[in-house]
């Protein structure tokens, strides 16, 4: 049985105080389904405090939204995987389309970030997904296959089996346009079949695949009911406690 996960990607939102308040609101919003792992990915400066707040709370974990690809050194303004691990965070989002688009992150850089994340016993949440032009040209499967291959398929089976993948069609992120269940399930099934070809049935059946892109309290139930969708990576709707908890309770 694959774990059910709902991850909150706060992006560059919430001051320190507002972030802590949102955590309190989430914890005070019941009922929370303890079988669903709720991962909070705040900005770096919140990590230690939120990890501390959630440390004894069943079903919660903390993620960073990014990390540097090297161990340490003269990289002003950067944050390493080791530092993230030292806060109590357990996951790192890698390869979000906003990182790929606005910060020029390439597949080979992302492969290095995956490696250093795993080397620090953190779980990568590796994002991939096609642009609208790819889908319109019917190249979406090809595009995602390439992202899988370049970002992840260098991993050994044992390392690959530790990570989480988030399919986020770029045209659905922050747009209010969600993939249909048919589109989401179709792509998730395709990703699983590519993993099967590379790593075999056991690993492909156990890989957690999240959907992201305008996931909200209204559409989460249908999306999460898809056979190959194991949860969501939620941006905008994760900034309100009621909405986030409702999404986590949608399984
Ligand atoms: P969204 O963002 O839910 O606001 O579309 C999702 C994401 O970018 O992870």
């Amino acid at each position: 049985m694959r774990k059910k996960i709902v991850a909150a990607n706060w992006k560059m939102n919430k001051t320190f105080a507002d972030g802590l308040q949102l955590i309190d609101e989430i914890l005070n919003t019941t009922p929370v389904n303890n079988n669903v792992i709720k991962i909070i990915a705040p900005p770096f400066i919140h990590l230690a405090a939120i990890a501390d707040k959630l440390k004894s709370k069943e079903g919660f974990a903390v993620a960073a939204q990014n990390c540097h690809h090297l161990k340490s050194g003269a990289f002003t303004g950067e944050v390493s995987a080791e530092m993230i691990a030292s806060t109590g965070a357990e996951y790192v989002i890698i390869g979000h389309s906003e990182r790929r688009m606005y910060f020029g992150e390439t597949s080979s850089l992302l492969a290095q970030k995956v490696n250093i994340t795993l080397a620090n016993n953190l779980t990568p949440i590796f994002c991939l997904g096609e642009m609208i032009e790819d889908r319109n040209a019917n190249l979406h499967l090809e595009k995602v296959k390439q992202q899988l291959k370049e970002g992840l398929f260098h991993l050994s089976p044992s390392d690959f089996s530790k990570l989480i993948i988030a399919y986020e069609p770029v045209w659905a992120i922050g747009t209010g346009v969600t993939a249909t269940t048919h589109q989401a399930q179709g792509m998730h099934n395709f990703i699983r079949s590519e993993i099967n070809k590379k790593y075999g049935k056991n690993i492909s059946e156990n890989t957690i695949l999240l959907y992201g892109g305008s996931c909200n309290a209204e559409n989460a139930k249908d999306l999460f009911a898809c056979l190959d969708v194991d949860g969501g990576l939620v941006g905008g709707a994760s900034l309100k406690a009621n909405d986030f908890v409702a999404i986590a309770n949608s399984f």
Side-chain angles (χ1 to χ4, degrees):
M1 253 301 259
R2 296 187 295 268
K3 285 180 194 153
K4 304 292 182 200
I5 292 182
V6 173
N9 178 9
W10 289 5
K11 309 193 180 187
M12 195 173 73
N13 292 295
K14 301 288 174 191
T15 63
F16 187 66
D18 290 348
L20 294 186
Q21 192 187 327
L22 176 53
I23 295 297
D24 285 336
E25 286 168 12
I26 290 169
L27 293 173
N28 290 332
T29 308
T30 46
V32 170
N33 183 346
N34 282 336
N35 295 321
V36 178
I37 301 174
K38 292 156 288 286
I39 302 176
I40 310 291
F44 285 130
I45 65 149
H46 302 62
L47 280 179
I50 291 181
D52 194 52
K53 242 183 199 300
L54 294 178
K55 128 174 118 208
S56 55
K57 301 285 186 282
E58 200 188 337
F60 282 93
V62 178
Q65 298 173 16
N66 179 32
C67 71
H68 195 265
H69 61 287
L70 297 176
K71 197 169 176 330
S72 64
F75 302 104
T76 302
E78 289 296 316
V79 175
S80 72
E82 187 182 23
M83 293 173 196
I84 292 165
S86 75
T87 67
E90 296 169 279
Y91 298 81
V92 184
I93 296 173
I94 294 175
H96 190 282
S97 64
E98 287 150 19
R99 300 292 320 167
R100 294 178 190 256
M101 263 193 298
Y102 307 139
F103 301 94
E105 296 195 355
T106 60
S107 284
S108 67
L109 180 80
L110 299 177
Q112 291 181 68
K113 292 191 180 203
V114 168
N115 294 346
I116 196 117
T117 299
L118 287 165
N120 283 280
N121 295 318
L122 294 161
T123 301
I125 301 174
F126 187 82
C127 303
L128 40 69
E130 81 284 358
M131 318 266 277
I132 192 65
E133 298 79 17
D134 302 320
R135 187 161 277 270
N136 289 341
N138 205 23
L139 291 171
H140 49 293
L141 299 180
E142 211 40 56
K143 182 70 188 278
V144 165
K145 183 175 172 175
Q146 190 186 346
Q147 291 172 331
L148 268 175
K149 193 166 154 232
E150 294 176 353
L152 298 178
F153 280 1
H154 63 286
L155 294 171
S156 67
S158 88
D159 273 347
F160 187 90
S161 63
K162 293 173 191 154
L163 57 81
I164 293 171
I165 293 173
Y167 167 58
E168 299 204 305
V170 178
W171 46 270
I173 295 177
T175 58
V177 180
T178 318
T180 62
T181 51
H182 183 73
Q183 288 169 325
Q185 170 56 25
M187 184 59 88
H188 282 227
N189 184 262
F190 173 75
I191 293 170
R192 211 177 285 294
S193 71
E194 289 301 308
I195 298 170
N196 184 14
K197 276 193 227 159
K198 171 79 183 166
Y199 293 104
K201 192 169 162 56
N202 188 35
I203 289 182
S204 74
E205 284 299 318
N206 283 302
T207 304
I208 295 170
L209 303 181
L210 308 181
Y211 167 81
S214 298
C215 184
N216 60 38
E218 281 76 53
N219 59 35
K221 203 174 178 21
D222 289 340
L223 286 163
F224 297 172
C226 296
L227 201 60
D228 288 298
V229 178
D230 304 310
L233 178 54
V234 187
S238 74
L239 297 171
K240 291 205 185 101
N242 281 332
D243 288 356
F244 180 64
V245 173
I247 293 168
N249 287 335
S250 295
F251 289 97

